[in-house]
Structure formats: structure tokens, C-alpha cells
Amino acid sequence: MAHHDPALTLAQRLAEQIRVRLIGGELKPGQRLSEAALSDDFDVSRNSLREAFRLLTKEGLLRHEPNRGVFVSTPSMASIIDIYRVRRLIECRALERAYPEHPAVQRMHAAVETALKCREAKDWVGVGSANMTFHAAIVDLADSTRLNAFYGQIAAELRLSFGLLDDPEFLHAPYVDLNAAILEQLKAGKCADAARALEAYLERSERTVLAAFSRLEERS
């Protein structure tokens, strides 16, 4: 879903690339970010990287701890509830009003195919990334660049909440077939049915993530 805008500053482009890594599950909640490693990876100065860190800290995706460095944020229970509230408002509405021949439907199809292959290979991180792509494509159905940009931030926070679970198979496995079923409903023109299925799906996913968060708090 990343739409690269040539007008973005270097810091904004760096922030987008780090956000992509968050969405891809490459960076985990609580992980300390190395300025040296990332500046080498992106071939940029540390000053530019620090500006990108500042932007992502403002979004709540990173946190700065004096004398310790910059860390990936760990979502709170309140933020998880809010993320899912926003997802239901955006995704279910986009699906309900979707055009079954929209180009984003092909991206949904490709994401389902990727998830099936990853599931067969027991690549649960890959399944999770394909799931993120599937839901980003649902948002693309709305044909709104502003929604796409907003959802990019939500998606990064969402992947961080997924990172709270010790068992990615438990989180992602049930939704491969559910994504496929929603896609088939959409392709058949049953958009309202697809939207209702997605709402139930999101409620189930929210319960799973919140339960994981509760267990995490009990251990801390």
C-alpha cells in the first residue's frame, strides 16, 4: 500500500521505510534501534535518521528514552482497542461500498495466494505480512489517498500489537481461510455480506490480541 510521494523530505521517506519494516514485522515491540546500523542500511546521515525517529515518535510508533536511545513502542490496551475501532470504521465501510472489479481486488487475491503458500511452509511471519497486505488492499477499495496514508500508521501500530503474541501461528492461521472467504464474497458482488463477515472477523482478532496483552501484563 506504500505510495511514494517525490515531494516528501528525506526524513519523511526514511520514516516511511522504517514504518514499512514495522508493518513487515521486522521490528518488534520494545526493540532498541541502532542509529549506526540503520544509517548504514539506509545510507544516510545520523542527523537525517534522528529526524525520522522524531517523526515516528510523534506518531507513537517509537519512544525516546534519555541516555538509553530510541525504542520501538509497545502498544497499550487502550491503543489496541482504538486501533480496532478505527479498522472497523474504515475497512468494513470500504468493503461494503466496494466495486468487485476494483484493481485492489487483484491485490487481495495475490495476498491470499501468498498467505496460503506461507502457511504451507509454516512461515507465520510471512502469513502475517500477507494479511497486512490483504487489509491494506481493502482500504485501497475506497480510492482515498488520505485514508491510505492514515491506514499506513494504523497498520504499523497493528503489527506491533501482533508482536505481543508469542505464538504467531495461533494469531494468523485462522484468518487465511477467512480472508479467502471474504474475497470470494466480494468477487461475487456480496459486498454487504463480506463487510459483516469482516466485522465479526475483526472482533475475533481484537479479542485474541487483547487476551495476549492481558497475559503479558500478568507476567510483568
Side-chain angles (χ1 to χ4, degrees):
M1 190 182 69
H3 301 287
H4 298 285
D5 185 345
L8 295 178
T9 66
L10 175 58
Q12 288 171 323
R13 291 197 299 273
L14 285 171
E16 183 178 347
Q17 290 178 70
I18 295 170
R19 198 179 294 112
V20 167
R21 291 192 179 193
L22 290 167
I23 294 171
E26 297 177 47
L27 303 174
K28 305 298 183 184
Q31 179 179 338
R32 184 180 183 277
L33 300 186
S34 166
E35 281 189 8
L38 286 174
S39 59
D40 286 345
D41 282 353
F42 296 132
D43 192 23
V44 295
S45 72
R46 293 197 184 188
N47 284 339
S48 296
L49 188 62
R50 286 168 189 153
E51 178 62 18
F53 283 171
R54 188 188 67 78
L55 294 173
L56 292 170
T57 298
K58 188 176 180 181
E59 291 180 12
L61 298 176
L62 303 179
R63 72 175 191 277
H64 177 262
E65 295 187 12
N67 303 318
R68 292 197 62 210
V70 175
F71 296 80
V72 178
S73 293
T74 299
S76 66
M77 185 172 287
S79 68
I80 293 169
I81 292 170
D82 197 37
I83 287 166
Y84 275 91
R85 181 185 298 120
V86 170
R87 292 188 72 193
R88 283 190 286 271
L89 286 170
I90 294 176
E91 293 187 48
C92 296
R93 184 66 168 168
L95 199 53
E96 184 180 29
R97 298 172 64 87
Y99 171 52
E101 301 299 324
H102 192 286
V105 176
Q106 289 303 315
R107 294 194 288 278
M108 293 169 67
H109 177 80
V112 167
E113 291 297 310
T114 298
L116 289 168
K117 291 175 183 176
C118 289
R119 182 175 67 179
E120 187 174 348
K122 304 295 184 183
D123 175 9
W124 300 111
V125 173
V127 171
S129 295
N131 181 58
M132 300 299 295
T133 300
F134 180 86
H135 289 278
I138 289 177
V139 178
D140 282 340
L141 293 169
D143 287 319
S144 169
T145 55
R146 288 178 176 82
L147 271 183
N148 288 341
F150 177 66
Y151 193 79
Q153 179 182 340
I154 296 298
E157 293 184 79
L158 178 65
R159 193 62 187 256
L160 290 180
S161 71
F162 290 168
L164 299 173
L165 276 79
D166 296 329
D167 185 356
E169 179 180 356
F170 174 73
L171 172 64
H172 297 302
Y175 298 99
V176 177
D177 292 330
L178 291 172
N179 284 349
I182 286 170
L183 175 61
E184 289 308 309
Q185 287 176 314
L186 173 59
K187 290 165 70 174
K190 299 178 180 179
C191 299
D193 290 343
R196 283 192 290 271
L198 178 60
E199 184 160 8
Y201 164 131
L202 291 175
E203 288 174 357
R204 175 179 173 180
S205 177
E206 180 181 14
R207 288 196 301 271
T208 301
V209 176
L210 287 174
F213 187 87
S214 295
R215 289 192 294 271
L216 185 70
E217 285 197 321
E218 288 170 3
R219 293 199 299 266
S220 61

